[in-house]
Amino acid sequence: MLKPKKAMVTYSTVMALVLILSACSDEGKGNPGEGTAEKTVSNLNEKGFPIVKEPIQLTFFTGKAPTTANNWNETALWKEYAKMTNVNVNFQLVSFETMAEKRNLALASGDYPDAFHTTRLSTVDLMKYGSQGTFVKLNDLIDKYAPNLKRLMEKYPFIKQGITMPDGNIYSFPLVYEPGFDAILISNKLWIQKEWLDKLNMPEPQTLDEFYNYLKAVMGKDLNGNGKDDEIPFGGVGYLGLMDNLKGAFGLMNRGVNHKNVDVDPKTNKLRFTPADESYKQLLQFMNKLHKEGLMDKEIVTIKANQFYAKGADGVYGATALTWPSTLMNQNGYVVSPALKGPNGDRIYSNIQSSLVQVGSFVLTDKNKYREASVRWIDHFYGEEGSKLFFMGIKDVSYTESADGKIDYVDEIKKNPQGLTLEQAAVKYVTWPGGSYPGIVTPKYFKAVTEEMNKATDKLKPYMIKDIWPAFTFTNEEADQLNVLNTDLGTYVDQMTSKFITGEVPFSEWDTYLNTLKKMKIDDYLKVYQAAYDRYQKASK
């Protein structure tokens, strides 16, 4: 048994050790960017390459399209960039199909890495996790270490306007399409088989009625010349592709595809919930007419994308809605439909997205110890050389550059001997196919869009809407309210849209549908939207 004096000394010694250990432990906690700030900054080169003097390792949760390589760590682009920067990134690839679920699970559990790359984070996600401190505030980091993005924000103020959250903070790097690059801003176009039009001695449709008459004329004729009665007037994956392309004929979606259910009523100049508008009813009636008369593919609701492309490659569709039939179906006989004039005289092309395509393409998390280096790493892709590297790959390996500065892919990619498409051949070297990557997309380096494709969209230019909204930003309170409202509203609108088109619910029930929407509080939904819209307008002045 210890004597009192010795016991006191022993207890004091133990407590001192506890305090020392606790202090040491606390040094490893807290903000990772603060605890190792001196060490990480001393390893940083503020300009030029490499980005860091001694190699560092980062891990990114990364969204993956089915068309990209299965292991980005072995792709030529990222191997080369690791050599240039001394930054070694472990890309943890997650399929786009399961990405949202796995991303949300990682954030909820706290088991997430240094950054989220190509993961399509919404403004609601950014505000939620940014305000909690999970996502790093980037305002000062961008100001000091992201000269390329900073220049773009000065040149195109809508970028800063769109990525700044209601609390005044920036939490993400975006995906930006260069303004005026219409061939890519209009991703899903309405295509008509020009060769079939010629065989039918019909001009390109200019009105909704003429489009209907063409679809009607396709039925029962062996226009593809294979001796079979297999022609399908219109084919697509679901109804939405066709509907979005026809909304302009009814004056709908007049602020672009980022806001499918809310636009501005031209009669009142106030926000409207378009699925409750009379013009939306007319659109559904037209779709119902196509359905009843068998002018849409019977498999349109159930067919998967790859099945649709394979079917289209057989040359059976008279019209379709997708990006490019030539690249996805190997079909070259289609032309882009002009904007169609609707029953009320409306003729706008509204199926176009904002140049600020994705707000949340890249974020840093609070676990990232190398924030300055990470910001320099991603900022490169918002500049000229970084954009060239990202889209074209390695000089004299995946692309060549002439003395006058013209660049193009090597023949292995653009004229692949195995018959691969440009995107299929390119994935050996780069990872842009199918993605929502952080960076700037320009015609100079995005060679997937050819001059022919640019010309194809020229006929839409006279009818394109001018005021195209990016995604709005919402406070946490607004987002919570909108999420509750949208869960019921969105599901109900989708269900009833399908039921009206198929005739499962007759249009005599339209008033019942409207009354149900009111009970689901579309007025409250629009109030939340109005607050976000007011903030957007204020920021643009």
Side-chain angles (χ1 to χ4, degrees):
M1 185 173 175
L2 293 171
K3 295 180 180 180
K5 188 174 181 180
K6 288 185 177 180
M8 188 174 293
V9 171
T10 304
Y11 177 76
S12 300
T13 303
V14 171
M15 287 306 298
L17 285 169
V18 169
L19 289 170
I20 290 168
L21 290 170
S22 177
C24 291
S25 176
D26 286 344
E27 284 182 12
K29 294 180 181 179
N31 192 326
E34 294 171 359
T36 57
E38 186 175 336
K39 181 180 178 181
T40 59
V41 172
S42 66
N43 190 37
L44 180 76
N45 290 316
E46 294 194 6
K47 293 181 180 179
F49 292 106
I51 290 175
V52 287
K53 301 178 182 77
E54 297 297 327
I56 61 172
Q57 179 76 39
L58 294 170
T59 301
F60 293 172
F61 182 112
T62 308
K64 181 194 177 304
T67 49
T68 59
N70 291 323
N71 185 356
W72 285 17
N73 302 308
E74 295 301 318
T75 302
L77 157 67
W78 298 119
K79 290 172 77 173
E80 177 68 16
Y81 197 45
K83 292 177 186 176
M84 289 171 57
T85 61
N86 262 350
V87 178
N88 300 298
V89 176
N90 176 22
F91 292 98
Q92 296 181 337
L93 300 182
V94 180
S95 166
F96 279 149
E97 291 183 356
T98 60
M99 181 186 67
E101 179 184 355
K102 291 184 177 179
R103 181 193 66 209
N104 294 340
L105 184 61
L107 286 166
S109 67
D111 185 18
Y112 50 81
D114 300 299
F116 286 85
H117 187 292
T118 315
T119 50
R120 301 174 177 175
L121 288 153
S122 69
T123 56
V124 173
D125 294 324
L126 295 173
M127 187 62 200
K128 176 181 178 181
Y129 293 106
S131 63
Q132 293 175 2
T134 302
F135 295 161
V136 175
K137 296 176 184 178
L138 299 172
N139 304 51
D140 293 339
L141 288 166
I142 288 172
D143 190 55
K144 189 171 183 180
Y145 299 107
N148 293 310
L149 179 60
K150 193 175 175 182
R151 274 193 295 271
L152 282 177
M153 291 194 297
E154 290 169 355
K155 184 177 181 179
Y156 303 119
F158 69 83
I159 298 176
K160 185 174 183 180
Q161 174 189 341
I163 66 176
T164 302
M165 296 298 107
D167 62 1
N169 291 312
I170 296 172
Y171 298 105
S172 66
F173 281 76
L175 164 61
V176 180
Y177 289 173
E178 187 173 76
F181 195 3
D182 297 326
I184 192 170
L185 287 168
I186 307 168
S187 60
N188 185 3
K189 294 164 278 290
L190 179 60
W191 298 85
I192 295 175
Q193 239 294 358
K194 180 66 166 60
E195 294 173 1
W196 293 11
L197 277 172
D198 293 341
K199 288 182 179 180
L200 293 167
N201 197 28
M202 298 178 76
E204 282 186 26
Q206 300 295 319
T207 68
L208 207 61
D209 285 342
E210 290 175 3
F211 176 63
Y212 163 78
N213 291 336
Y214 164 68
L215 297 181
K216 194 78 173 172
V218 166
M219 292 192 72
K221 297 182 179 67
D222 185 21
L223 295 169
N224 59 17
N226 65 358
K228 302 176 184 177
D229 183 15
D230 59 355
E231 284 73 11
I232 299 170
F234 178 85
V237 180
Y239 299 123
L240 195 59
L242 179 58
M243 288 181 66
D244 282 352
N245 274 283
L246 297 182
K247 282 177 180 177
F250 297 90
L252 298 168
M253 204 166 69
N254 56 41
R255 294 300 185 271
V257 296
N258 293 82
H259 302 267
K260 290 180 183 290
N261 290 338
V262 177
D263 68 2
V264 175
D265 189 334
K267 297 175 184 175
T268 64
N269 207 33
K270 294 181 179 179
L271 297 186
R272 67 175 171 180
F273 188 71
T274 52
D277 194 81
E278 186 66 20
S279 295
Y280 191 81
K281 176 184 178 182
Q282 290 179 307
L283 169 61
L284 295 184
Q285 287 173 325
F286 181 78
M287 294 290 293
N288 172 256
K289 181 180 179 180
L290 300 185
H291 176 83
K292 282 197 303 186
E293 298 185 21
L295 301 180
M296 292 190 287
D297 190 349
K298 293 178 181 178
E299 298 178 316
I300 194 168
V301 175
T302 58
I303 198 168
K304 303 297 182 184
N306 287 340
Q307 296 171 327
F308 165 62
Y309 301 147
K311 198 170 182 178
D314 292 332
V316 297
Y317 295 130
T320 187
L322 75 168
T323 51
W324 303 102
S326 58
T327 59
L328 294 173
M329 296 176 171
N330 199 27
Q331 294 290 305
N332 297 309
Y334 288 90
V335 292
V336 172
S337 168
L340 300 173
K341 187 176 182 179
N344 307 315
D346 295 297
R347 192 178 191 181
I348 61 173
Y349 193 81
S350 58
N351 189 36
I352 183 170
Q353 60 187 326
S354 164
S355 288
L356 184 60
V357 181
Q358 283 283 336
V359 175
S361 287
F362 182 84
V363 301
L364 303 184
T365 73
D366 56 350
K367 296 186 179 182
N368 192 313
K369 298 178 182 179
Y370 307 103
R371 299 176 185 183
E372 296 85 358
S374 297
V375 167
R376 285 208 60 213
W377 184 94
I378 194 64
D379 181 65
H380 186 56
F381 301 108
Y382 293 87
E384 184 85 3
E385 291 303 312
S387 187
K388 184 196 296 185
L389 173 66
F390 184 78
F391 290 106
M392 302 302 298
I394 317 301
K395 185 178 179 181
D396 297 327
V397 177
S398 54
Y399 77 90
T400 57
E401 186 168 0
S402 63
D404 60 357
K406 292 183 180 179
I407 68 171
D408 202 357
Y409 287 119
V410 295
D411 285 346
E412 180 196 350
I413 294 176
K414 65 180 182 179
K415 299 176 183 177
N416 187 265
Q418 280 78 45
L420 299 177
T421 66
L422 185 146
E423 293 189 8
Q424 289 170 335
V427 296
K428 178 180 176 182
Y429 304 100
V430 292
T431 56
W432 60 259
S436 300
Y437 32 76
I440 173 100
V441 183
T442 67
K444 185 175 181 180
Y445 299 123
F446 192 69
K447 299 296 182 179
V449 174
T450 64
E451 187 59 34
E452 180 185 1
M453 292 174 175
N454 282 315
K455 289 179 180 178
T457 55
D458 284 348
K459 66 177 70 173
L460 298 173
K461 287 182 184 291
Y463 307 102
M464 287 180 191
I465 56 175
K466 306 301 181 193
D467 188 2
I468 305 170
W469 292 341
F472 289 164
T473 61
F474 300 93
T475 66
N476 287 329
E477 293 75 15
E478 290 168 348
D480 289 342
Q481 188 178 0
L482 203 62
N483 185 51
V484 172
L485 292 169
N486 203 34
T487 299
D488 292 335
L489 273 173
T491 301
Y492 182 66
V493 167
D494 289 345
Q495 289 176 346
M496 293 303 292
T497 293
S498 181
K499 289 179 179 180
F500 279 126
I501 291 173
T502 60
E504 183 179 344
V505 174
F507 286 96
S508 58
E509 294 295 316
W510 184 258
D511 287 343
T512 303
Y513 162 73
L514 293 181
N515 288 332
T516 303
L517 288 178
K518 289 178 181 178
K519 291 177 183 177
M520 289 181 167
K521 301 180 179 180
I522 58 171
D523 290 338
D524 290 349
Y525 181 88
L526 285 174
K527 283 180 183 178
V528 175
Y529 234 93
Q530 184 70 53
Y533 177 52
D534 290 344
R535 209 160 34 240
Y536 167 77
Q537 286 187 303
K538 184 178 180 181
S540 63
K541 292 178 180 178

